[in-house]
Amino acid sequence: MYLSVLLLFFLWAPALTIKNLNFSVPEEAIAGTIVGNLSNDIKLGILERGKKSNFRVLENSASDLIDVEQDSGLVFTKQRIDRETLCRRNLKCQVSLEVFANDKDLYMIKVDITDINDNSPIFPSEQIDIDISENAFPGTRFPLTSAHDPDSGDYGLKTYVINHNGLFSLDVKSRGDGTKFPELVIDKPLDREEQSHHNLILTALDGGNPPRSATVQINVKVIDSNDNSPVFEAPSYMVEIPENSPLGRVVIDLNATDADEGSNGDVVYSFSGYAPDRVRELFSIDPNTGVIQVKGNLDYEENNLIEIDVQARDQGPNPIPAHCKVTVKVIDKNDNAPSIGFISVRQGAISEAAPPGTVIALVRVTDKDSGKNGQLQCRVLGNVPFKLEENSDNFYSVVTDRPLDRETQDEYNVTIIARDNGNPPLNSTKSFTVKILDENDNAPTFNKGLHVLQVSENNIPGEYLGSVVAHDPDLGHNGTVSYSILPSYVGDVPVFTFVSVNPTNGAVYALRSFNYEQTKYFEFKLLAKDSGSPHLESNVTVRVTVLDVNDNAPVISLPILQNDTAEIHVPRNVGVGYVVSTVRAVDNDFGESGRLTYEIAYGNEEHLFEIDPVTGEIKTLNPYWEEVSPVVELVIKVTDNGKPALSAVAKLITEGEPRVNGKQHQWDMSLPLIVTLSTISIILLAAMITIAVKCKRENKEIRTYNCRIAEYSHPQLGKSKKKKINKNDIMLVQSEVEERNAMNVMNVVSSPSLATSPMYFDYQTRLPLSSPRSEVMYLKPTSNNLTVPQGHVGCHNSFTGPVSNTTETTSNRMSLIQVWPPPMHTAKCYQLSSSLHLCFLALLLFYNYAHTVAKNI
């Protein structure tokens, strides 16, 4: 059977079963004869609304004889069918075809071609000549030629008849294949002298009603007797011989004997005159020895039983032949490999979405051998997603064994092997190609989750940024990807105003010029969608990074420039390292493009100044720069580190402080302060003089013993070492509030008046400028071992230990060092003197502050 390819565009139901329907049609029916109606004979499932029935013929054994109407399901003949030509003498003549009903159910339609009596029996010749010796005994048989009737069954050859003349009769016998042949039988002795010739009519009749017939004339010639006829050892023989036996193989060695002598006893062997031509093609007989040999190819599948009619007669006059029958039984050998035929193949039409069990082909496997030689085993070779399922009548379904994936493999070469159970076994293989149809089962995929595109700032609108491509392994529309940008915002601005994408190839373009200082990067979602139905899609995040370009030159912000120039006044005699000015510049770029370097480009040929390249501070290098050049014009250049580098310049005119206008201005501002300080100083001086005079007068009047005077005047104390309270024995101690504000301090300037006071301050002691009046420094002794002379009896003999702790007042929080207990007038003088000292100290502090303010002004 030849391979037939039929392209189908539908899926077969899983676990397909074949249903059989039988119809019949008589032979010789004209073309268009209705054989049956599938719509009426099968139960079809309910069709979807608006759809019509659909019948498809896949393949059949006689596609030119029977067909099915696609819409109505009518089975009809396509031409006149001659059963005898189609099936010869087979008792069963049948054609088959396979039909899909509504693309769901598969039906095996078998149409029997019924025989009609349209043929009469035929004899191979018009007459039969027979020589019979007059000495033939009654009962002697003479085989006659058989007639042939192409019809079969009841319309085939049924019997033979002969006209009766009293001397002969007819005996009808059957061969092993069912064919019938006649034998002429002598009923009475023959007398040649009475009648030497007899004419008989042989008639062959079939089983028709009325029967058809054929006749042949038999001419019987009565000859003189030959005393003895050859005799076979047995009237019939049974021989078994394997098919495909080699040519020349001896089938049987026949032996017939004749009692006569001479030529009357010489026996000659031959096939009967009515032996079929096929027998003469397959076998040969030696006329002298009677050995029958194989002459042609014996095929069990063609004819497994062959009957050979052999006659033997002597060489004498008027011989009477002897007959025997040799039945040759052909033994089957496993000489036929299985035959594989595809009834239908779904080449290139199986969808990858087909579920397991989907039928892709029907296979018919046959073997002409019989028994075990014809028993078959079939399977699919290789690791392919297909298998065979046996149905009936040597039909197999090729079905999918597991899910298919076209992206993994889009084509399979399916090979079916069929092996029989012979010894040795024979096998056959047959292959066909199955192509996998694509389904939209893969969404577009991106090779990474984040795509980064880079663009330099100040780009040209419309510039190509890069391509973001998704891969879809599907074919055709299922694999055709289109791209679009999902709606989003960059800040408050739609992303559609920033970039666009080519819907075909995923190329991304800039729609505006980007500024790194405004937008360093932004992100959006890119959607990839295929054209399948329904379509599949996926998206990916795309980040556009704006690269900084050195597009901003430095801008000098300090000092304040007018026409790129600034004047700087430097005080006199500031020394080396004095910060004349600080240059500050800003650059909107980032990274190296925004890192600035300061330098003096021009005007510093004498190296009077230097500038820090990082901080921009301009310092003096020569303390006598003003003598070298009273006015210096410095050109300061600020350069960034971008590529290419950008710079800015400024001219700084550096000169000493003005000699006239500057001094007058300073004097005008300082004059009120000087007047105020002078007035306060005079008042304090008068107060101090008044207190000093008053204290001296009281000492003279009261004549109170003064410990300090006694200490220096008493003769007994001259031998002992004098102890004077000096500045190292006195130190300033911070108040509680001052301890919290210890960072804001300034130097206390020493004064001669303080040095002459009974207690004076260390000139290095620091006092805060911003402390409130209640938070001034107070004094305490630096040594706990400060003592007075011990030998003076009159100076408070009870004072024998160290100086006790100081006292603190709430008003001025000042601690004074005293000798305890002091005389009343002495203590009072000391208190007045301390108060004046504090006032004078406050005056000095105020003067220092006023001088600083005036200087800054």
Side-chain angles (χ1 to χ4, degrees), residues 302-324:
E302 181 181 352
N303 198 346
N304 59 357
L305 189 67
I306 303 172
E307 293 182 350
I308 305 173
D309 293 316
V310 181
Q311 68 178 12
R313 57 181 170 181
D314 56 29
Q315 298 295 319
N318 303 318
I320 299 175
H323 297 84
C324 77

PDB file of all heavy atoms in Angstrom, residues 302-324:
ATOM      1  N   GLU A 302      -0.323 -17.803  -2.648  1.00  0.00           N
ATOM      2  CA  GLU A 302      -1.085 -17.824  -3.902  1.00  0.00           C
ATOM      3  C   GLU A 302      -1.956 -19.071  -4.004  1.00  0.00           C
ATOM      4  O   GLU A 302      -3.133 -19.003  -4.365  1.00  0.00           O
ATOM      5  CB  GLU A 302      -0.127 -17.761  -5.090  1.00  0.00           C
ATOM      6  CG  GLU A 302      -0.828 -17.762  -6.443  1.00  0.00           C
ATOM      7  CD  GLU A 302       0.154 -17.729  -7.594  1.00  0.00           C
ATOM      8  OE1 GLU A 302       1.353 -17.546  -7.343  1.00  0.00           O
ATOM      9  OE2 GLU A 302      -0.283 -17.869  -8.750  1.00  0.00           O
ATOM     10  N   ASN A 303      -1.396 -20.211  -3.702  1.00  0.00           N
ATOM     11  CA  ASN A 303      -2.158 -21.467  -3.785  1.00  0.00           C
ATOM     12  C   ASN A 303      -1.466 -22.471  -2.878  1.00  0.00           C
ATOM     13  O   ASN A 303      -0.328 -22.846  -3.119  1.00  0.00           O
ATOM     14  CB  ASN A 303      -2.181 -21.981  -5.225  1.00  0.00           C
ATOM     15  CG  ASN A 303      -3.275 -23.002  -5.445  1.00  0.00           C
ATOM     16  OD1 ASN A 303      -3.843 -23.518  -4.484  1.00  0.00           O
ATOM     17  ND2 ASN A 303      -3.548 -23.313  -6.705  1.00  0.00           N
ATOM     18  N   ASN A 304      -2.159 -22.842  -1.835  1.00  0.00           N
ATOM     19  CA  ASN A 304      -1.544 -23.747  -0.873  1.00  0.00           C
ATOM     20  C   ASN A 304      -1.852 -25.222  -1.148  1.00  0.00           C
ATOM     21  O   ASN A 304      -1.328 -26.105  -0.465  1.00  0.00           O
ATOM     22  CB  ASN A 304      -1.974 -23.402   0.551  1.00  0.00           C
ATOM     23  CG  ASN A 304      -3.472 -23.481   0.726  1.00  0.00           C
ATOM     24  OD1 ASN A 304      -4.219 -23.735  -0.225  1.00  0.00           O
ATOM     25  ND2 ASN A 304      -3.923 -23.272   1.954  1.00  0.00           N
ATOM     26  N   LEU A 305      -2.704 -25.494  -2.156  1.00  0.00           N
ATOM     27  CA  LEU A 305      -3.036 -26.888  -2.509  1.00  0.00           C
ATOM     28  C   LEU A 305      -3.157 -26.988  -4.021  1.00  0.00           C
ATOM     29  O   LEU A 305      -3.974 -26.298  -4.634  1.00  0.00           O
ATOM     30  CB  LEU A 305      -4.337 -27.327  -1.835  1.00  0.00           C
ATOM     31  CG  LEU A 305      -4.697 -28.810  -1.939  1.00  0.00           C
ATOM     32  CD1 LEU A 305      -3.682 -29.632  -1.140  1.00  0.00           C
ATOM     33  CD2 LEU A 305      -6.109 -29.060  -1.425  1.00  0.00           C
ATOM     34  N   ILE A 306      -2.352 -27.890  -4.616  1.00  0.00           N
ATOM     35  CA  ILE A 306      -2.322 -28.030  -6.070  1.00  0.00           C
ATOM     36  C   ILE A 306      -2.569 -29.515  -6.414  1.00  0.00           C
ATOM     37  O   ILE A 306      -1.915 -30.400  -5.838  1.00  0.00           O
ATOM     38  CB  ILE A 306      -0.967 -27.572  -6.641  1.00  0.00           C
ATOM     39  CG1 ILE A 306      -0.670 -26.106  -6.217  1.00  0.00           C
ATOM     40  CG2 ILE A 306      -0.960 -27.705  -8.152  1.00  0.00           C
ATOM     41  CD1 ILE A 306       0.712 -25.653  -6.579  1.00  0.00           C
ATOM     42  N   GLU A 307      -3.499 -29.747  -7.325  1.00  0.00           N
ATOM     43  CA  GLU A 307      -3.804 -31.107  -7.775  1.00  0.00           C
ATOM     44  C   GLU A 307      -3.293 -31.297  -9.192  1.00  0.00           C
ATOM     45  O   GLU A 307      -3.599 -30.500 -10.089  1.00  0.00           O
ATOM     46  CB  GLU A 307      -5.298 -31.379  -7.707  1.00  0.00           C
ATOM     47  CG  GLU A 307      -5.835 -31.408  -6.273  1.00  0.00           C
ATOM     48  CD  GLU A 307      -7.309 -31.732  -6.226  1.00  0.00           C
ATOM     49  OE1 GLU A 307      -7.948 -31.736  -7.303  1.00  0.00           O
ATOM     50  OE2 GLU A 307      -7.852 -31.974  -5.136  1.00  0.00           O
ATOM     51  N   ILE A 308      -2.512 -32.381  -9.356  1.00  0.00           N
ATOM     52  CA  ILE A 308      -1.904 -32.683 -10.662  1.00  0.00           C
ATOM     53  C   ILE A 308      -2.498 -34.019 -11.174  1.00  0.00           C
ATOM     54  O   ILE A 308      -2.419 -35.051 -10.478  1.00  0.00           O
ATOM     55  CB  ILE A 308      -0.380 -32.811 -10.551  1.00  0.00           C
ATOM     56  CG1 ILE A 308       0.217 -31.539  -9.901  1.00  0.00           C
ATOM     57  CG2 ILE A 308       0.235 -33.071 -11.916  1.00  0.00           C
ATOM     58  CD1 ILE A 308       1.692 -31.651  -9.612  1.00  0.00           C
ATOM     59  N   ASP A 309      -3.125 -33.968 -12.342  1.00  0.00           N
ATOM     60  CA  ASP A 309      -3.658 -35.186 -12.974  1.00  0.00           C
ATOM     61  C   ASP A 309      -2.608 -35.743 -13.931  1.00  0.00           C
ATOM     62  O   ASP A 309      -2.174 -35.055 -14.865  1.00  0.00           O
ATOM     63  CB  ASP A 309      -4.955 -34.887 -13.731  1.00  0.00           C
ATOM     64  CG  ASP A 309      -6.085 -34.492 -12.779  1.00  0.00           C
ATOM     65  OD1 ASP A 309      -6.230 -35.169 -11.742  1.00  0.00           O
ATOM     66  OD2 ASP A 309      -6.805 -33.494 -13.039  1.00  0.00           O
ATOM     67  N   VAL A 310      -2.216 -36.992 -13.680  1.00  0.00           N
ATOM     68  CA  VAL A 310      -1.170 -37.645 -14.460  1.00  0.00           C
ATOM     69  C   VAL A 310      -1.764 -38.907 -15.136  1.00  0.00           C
ATOM     70  O   VAL A 310      -2.561 -39.623 -14.502  1.00  0.00           O
ATOM     71  CB  VAL A 310       0.019 -38.032 -13.558  1.00  0.00           C
ATOM     72  CG1 VAL A 310       1.116 -38.704 -14.397  1.00  0.00           C
ATOM     73  CG2 VAL A 310       0.562 -36.815 -12.826  1.00  0.00           C
ATOM     74  N   GLN A 311      -1.371 -39.089 -16.370  1.00  0.00           N
ATOM     75  CA  GLN A 311      -1.769 -40.315 -17.073  1.00  0.00           C
ATOM     76  C   GLN A 311      -0.525 -41.056 -17.552  1.00  0.00           C
ATOM     77  O   GLN A 311       0.504 -40.441 -17.818  1.00  0.00           O
ATOM     78  CB  GLN A 311      -2.683 -40.011 -18.262  1.00  0.00           C
ATOM     79  CG  GLN A 311      -2.014 -39.278 -19.396  1.00  0.00           C
ATOM     80  CD  GLN A 311      -2.926 -39.022 -20.580  1.00  0.00           C
ATOM     81  OE1 GLN A 311      -4.146 -39.204 -20.487  1.00  0.00           O
ATOM     82  NE2 GLN A 311      -2.343 -38.618 -21.712  1.00  0.00           N
ATOM     83  N   ALA A 312      -0.688 -42.368 -17.614  1.00  0.00           N
ATOM     84  CA  ALA A 312       0.397 -43.234 -18.105  1.00  0.00           C
ATOM     85  C   ALA A 312      -0.207 -44.229 -19.127  1.00  0.00           C
ATOM     86  O   ALA A 312      -1.242 -44.847 -18.858  1.00  0.00           O
ATOM     87  CB  ALA A 312       1.025 -43.991 -16.937  1.00  0.00           C
ATOM     88  N   ARG A 313       0.457 -44.341 -20.249  1.00  0.00           N
ATOM     89  CA  ARG A 313       0.017 -45.306 -21.256  1.00  0.00           C
ATOM     90  C   ARG A 313       1.239 -45.930 -21.927  1.00  0.00           C
ATOM     91  O   ARG A 313       2.311 -45.329 -21.959  1.00  0.00           O
ATOM     92  CB  ARG A 313      -0.889 -44.673 -22.274  1.00  0.00           C
ATOM     93  CG  ARG A 313      -0.330 -43.501 -23.021  1.00  0.00           C
ATOM     94  CD  ARG A 313      -1.344 -42.963 -23.979  1.00  0.00           C
ATOM     95  NE  ARG A 313      -0.951 -41.682 -24.556  1.00  0.00           N
ATOM     96  CZ  ARG A 313      -1.711 -41.022 -25.413  1.00  0.00           C
ATOM     97  NH1 ARG A 313      -2.884 -41.518 -25.772  1.00  0.00           N
ATOM     98  NH2 ARG A 313      -1.316 -39.870 -25.904  1.00  0.00           N
ATOM     99  N   ASP A 314       0.905 -47.134 -22.471  1.00  0.00           N
ATOM    100  CA  ASP A 314       2.024 -47.853 -23.088  1.00  0.00           C
ATOM    101  C   ASP A 314       2.174 -47.429 -24.535  1.00  0.00           C
ATOM    102  O   ASP A 314       1.406 -46.598 -25.040  1.00  0.00           O
ATOM    103  CB  ASP A 314       1.801 -49.378 -22.961  1.00  0.00           C
ATOM    104  CG  ASP A 314       0.476 -49.837 -23.557  1.00  0.00           C
ATOM    105  OD1 ASP A 314      -0.003 -49.164 -24.521  1.00  0.00           O
ATOM    106  OD2 ASP A 314      -0.108 -50.816 -23.056  1.00  0.00           O
ATOM    107  N   GLN A 315       3.191 -48.070 -25.194  1.00  0.00           N
ATOM    108  CA  GLN A 315       3.504 -47.681 -26.564  1.00  0.00           C
ATOM    109  C   GLN A 315       2.831 -48.597 -27.592  1.00  0.00           C
ATOM    110  O   GLN A 315       3.056 -48.440 -28.790  1.00  0.00           O
ATOM    111  CB  GLN A 315       5.032 -47.751 -26.749  1.00  0.00           C
ATOM    112  CG  GLN A 315       5.811 -46.797 -25.850  1.00  0.00           C
ATOM    113  CD  GLN A 315       5.528 -45.353 -26.172  1.00  0.00           C
ATOM    114  OE1 GLN A 315       5.432 -44.988 -27.353  1.00  0.00           O
ATOM    115  NE2 GLN A 315       5.374 -44.542 -25.135  1.00  0.00           N
ATOM    116  N   GLY A 316       2.012 -49.476 -27.089  1.00  0.00           N
ATOM    117  CA  GLY A 316       1.341 -50.381 -28.024  1.00  0.00           C
ATOM    118  C   GLY A 316       0.202 -49.701 -28.755  1.00  0.00           C
ATOM    119  O   GLY A 316      -0.159 -48.562 -28.452  1.00  0.00           O
ATOM    120  N   PRO A 317      -0.323 -50.408 -29.741  1.00  0.00           N
ATOM    121  CA  PRO A 317      -1.449 -49.838 -30.473  1.00  0.00           C
ATOM    122  C   PRO A 317      -2.683 -49.770 -29.589  1.00  0.00           C
ATOM    123  O   PRO A 317      -2.891 -50.611 -28.712  1.00  0.00           O
ATOM    124  CB  PRO A 317      -1.629 -50.815 -31.624  1.00  0.00           C
ATOM    125  CG  PRO A 317      -1.068 -52.112 -31.142  1.00  0.00           C
ATOM    126  CD  PRO A 317       0.045 -51.766 -30.217  1.00  0.00           C
ATOM    127  N   ASN A 318      -3.437 -48.781 -29.864  1.00  0.00           N
ATOM    128  CA  ASN A 318      -4.681 -48.538 -29.134  1.00  0.00           C
ATOM    129  C   ASN A 318      -4.496 -48.688 -27.628  1.00  0.00           C
ATOM    130  O   ASN A 318      -5.136 -49.510 -26.964  1.00  0.00           O
ATOM    131  CB  ASN A 318      -5.770 -49.516 -29.624  1.00  0.00           C
ATOM    132  CG  ASN A 318      -6.005 -49.425 -31.107  1.00  0.00           C
ATOM    133  OD1 ASN A 318      -6.045 -48.338 -31.672  1.00  0.00           O
ATOM    134  ND2 ASN A 318      -6.161 -50.582 -31.783  1.00  0.00           N
ATOM    135  N   PRO A 319      -3.609 -47.864 -27.042  1.00  0.00           N
ATOM    136  CA  PRO A 319      -3.388 -47.985 -25.613  1.00  0.00           C
ATOM    137  C   PRO A 319      -4.552 -47.430 -24.807  1.00  0.00           C
ATOM    138  O   PRO A 319      -5.280 -46.540 -25.256  1.00  0.00           O
ATOM    139  CB  PRO A 319      -2.127 -47.172 -25.393  1.00  0.00           C
ATOM    140  CG  PRO A 319      -2.158 -46.141 -26.448  1.00  0.00           C
ATOM    141  CD  PRO A 319      -2.793 -46.795 -27.667  1.00  0.00           C
ATOM    142  N   ILE A 320      -4.695 -48.015 -23.667  1.00  0.00           N
ATOM    143  CA  ILE A 320      -5.693 -47.509 -22.726  1.00  0.00           C
ATOM    144  C   ILE A 320      -4.917 -46.847 -21.592  1.00  0.00           C
ATOM    145  O   ILE A 320      -4.193 -47.539 -20.852  1.00  0.00           O
ATOM    146  CB  ILE A 320      -6.578 -48.637 -22.192  1.00  0.00           C
ATOM    147  CG1 ILE A 320      -7.343 -49.326 -23.343  1.00  0.00           C
ATOM    148  CG2 ILE A 320      -7.551 -48.106 -21.151  1.00  0.00           C
ATOM    149  CD1 ILE A 320      -8.136 -50.532 -22.894  1.00  0.00           C
ATOM    150  N   PRO A 321      -4.985 -45.466 -21.439  1.00  0.00           N
ATOM    151  CA  PRO A 321      -4.195 -44.783 -20.415  1.00  0.00           C
ATOM    152  C   PRO A 321      -4.717 -45.059 -19.014  1.00  0.00           C
ATOM    153  O   PRO A 321      -5.917 -45.290 -18.821  1.00  0.00           O
ATOM    154  CB  PRO A 321      -4.329 -43.312 -20.781  1.00  0.00           C
ATOM    155  CG  PRO A 321      -5.599 -43.214 -21.537  1.00  0.00           C
ATOM    156  CD  PRO A 321      -5.806 -44.521 -22.258  1.00  0.00           C
ATOM    157  N   ALA A 322      -3.776 -45.024 -18.095  1.00  0.00           N
ATOM    158  CA  ALA A 322      -4.123 -45.099 -16.669  1.00  0.00           C
ATOM    159  C   ALA A 322      -3.952 -43.706 -16.061  1.00  0.00           C
ATOM    160  O   ALA A 322      -3.079 -42.924 -16.467  1.00  0.00           O
ATOM    161  CB  ALA A 322      -3.225 -46.110 -15.990  1.00  0.00           C
ATOM    162  N   HIS A 323      -4.796 -43.366 -15.076  1.00  0.00           N
ATOM    163  CA  HIS A 323      -4.799 -42.023 -14.480  1.00  0.00           C
ATOM    164  C   HIS A 323      -4.585 -42.117 -12.977  1.00  0.00           C
ATOM    165  O   HIS A 323      -5.035 -43.074 -12.331  1.00  0.00           O
ATOM    166  CB  HIS A 323      -6.109 -41.300 -14.759  1.00  0.00           C
ATOM    167  CG  HIS A 323      -6.357 -41.060 -16.218  1.00  0.00           C
ATOM    168  ND1 HIS A 323      -6.926 -42.005 -17.078  1.00  0.00           N
ATOM    169  CD2 HIS A 323      -6.095 -39.968 -16.995  1.00  0.00           C
ATOM    170  CE1 HIS A 323      -7.024 -41.512 -18.291  1.00  0.00           C
ATOM    171  NE2 HIS A 323      -6.509 -40.246 -18.268  1.00  0.00           N
ATOM    172  N   CYS A 324      -3.885 -41.116 -12.472  1.00  0.00           N
ATOM    173  CA  CYS A 324      -3.738 -40.943 -11.016  1.00  0.00           C
ATOM    174  C   CYS A 324      -3.711 -39.448 -10.706  1.00  0.00           C
ATOM    175  O   CYS A 324      -3.425 -38.615 -11.574  1.00  0.00           O
ATOM    176  CB  CYS A 324      -2.506 -41.669 -10.506  1.00  0.00           C
ATOM    177  SG  CYS A 324      -0.944 -40.806 -10.871  1.00  0.00           S
TER     178      CYS A 324
END
